[in-house]
Amino acid sequence: MKKSTVVSVIGLLAMFVAFVLFQTWPLVLFGTVKLTDVLTLVGGLMFIIPVYLDSVKRKRADNAPNPVVWSTLPPIGMAVVCVGILMPNSLTFFHLFSLPDVFYLVGCLMMLPIFLYPMSGLERAELEETVEEEVDEATDSTPAADTKRL
């Protein structure tokens, strides 16, 4: 098993523990930051950073267009989500939404290029596999005796 997979699984477990502890008595560590906030931050970053690094490695190998989009937006999105987690929920955005929720939404949208960019990457990989299979079938079915003609 790859090291990045192990780190991601540990991060998921930390987020699960934070989810389970969310409704328990809040343990305030520093001001408004609770134990569940810390577990969510650590677990979320442990989960997403290996996925992000694998994504960047794969996209560099494929020469994906617009490297600024898929290499800089996700880390900024991670930072925005972290700020949103550390904010107190009493802050509002135009008295309609909780400001941390706006930060979560914007941060998650900024992290979407990890998974969804470029859109044609999956189609290209499937097309390459199909072409390779057809070439293999064509070379296997060509009889060696027919190559000599008189």
Side-chain angles (χ1 to χ4, degrees):
M1 190 180 299
K2 289 175 38 175
K3 183 180 177 182
S4 60
T5 306
V6 172
V7 172
S8 289
V9 169
I10 292 170
L12 283 174
L13 290 174
M15 288 192 300
F16 178 73
V17 169
F19 172 74
V20 170
L21 294 176
F22 186 72
Q23 294 299 325
T24 62
W25 183 259
L27 175 63
V28 178
L29 297 177
F30 303 104
T32 60
V33 179
K34 299 179 292 294
L35 176 62
T36 55
D37 296 340
V38 172
L39 284 171
T40 303
L41 280 172
V42 171
L45 290 175
M46 284 178 71
F47 169 71
I48 200 67
I49 288 175
V51 174
Y52 165 73
L53 293 176
D54 288 343
S55 170
V56 167
K57 186 173 147 182
R58 184 179 67 248
K59 289 173 185 169
R60 277 195 184 134
D62 288 345
N63 292 323
N66 302 320
V68 173
V69 172
W70 51 260
S71 65
T72 58
L73 276 181
I76 295 169
M78 291 177 216
V80 169
V81 169
C82 290
V83 169
I85 289 172
L86 295 174
M87 280 183 172
N89 286 335
S90 60
L91 299 174
T92 59
F93 181 71
F94 294 121
H95 300 288
L96 296 173
F97 307 104
S98 173
L99 189 58
D101 291 342
V102 173
F103 272 67
Y104 304 151
L105 177 64
V106 171
C108 288
L109 289 175
M110 292 175 81
M111 286 188 281
L112 280 178
I114 294 173
F115 305 103
L116 299 180
Y117 186 83
M119 298 299 281
S120 63
L122 182 61
E123 294 171 3
R124 189 175 106 191
E126 290 176 359
L127 181 61
E128 287 174 356
E129 287 177 13
T130 304
V131 169
E132 287 176 6
E133 289 174 1
E134 289 179 6
V135 168
D136 289 342
E137 288 176 5
T139 57
D140 291 342
S141 65
T142 315
D146 288 345
T147 57
K148 210 178 190 184
R149 286 191 175 174
L150 294 177

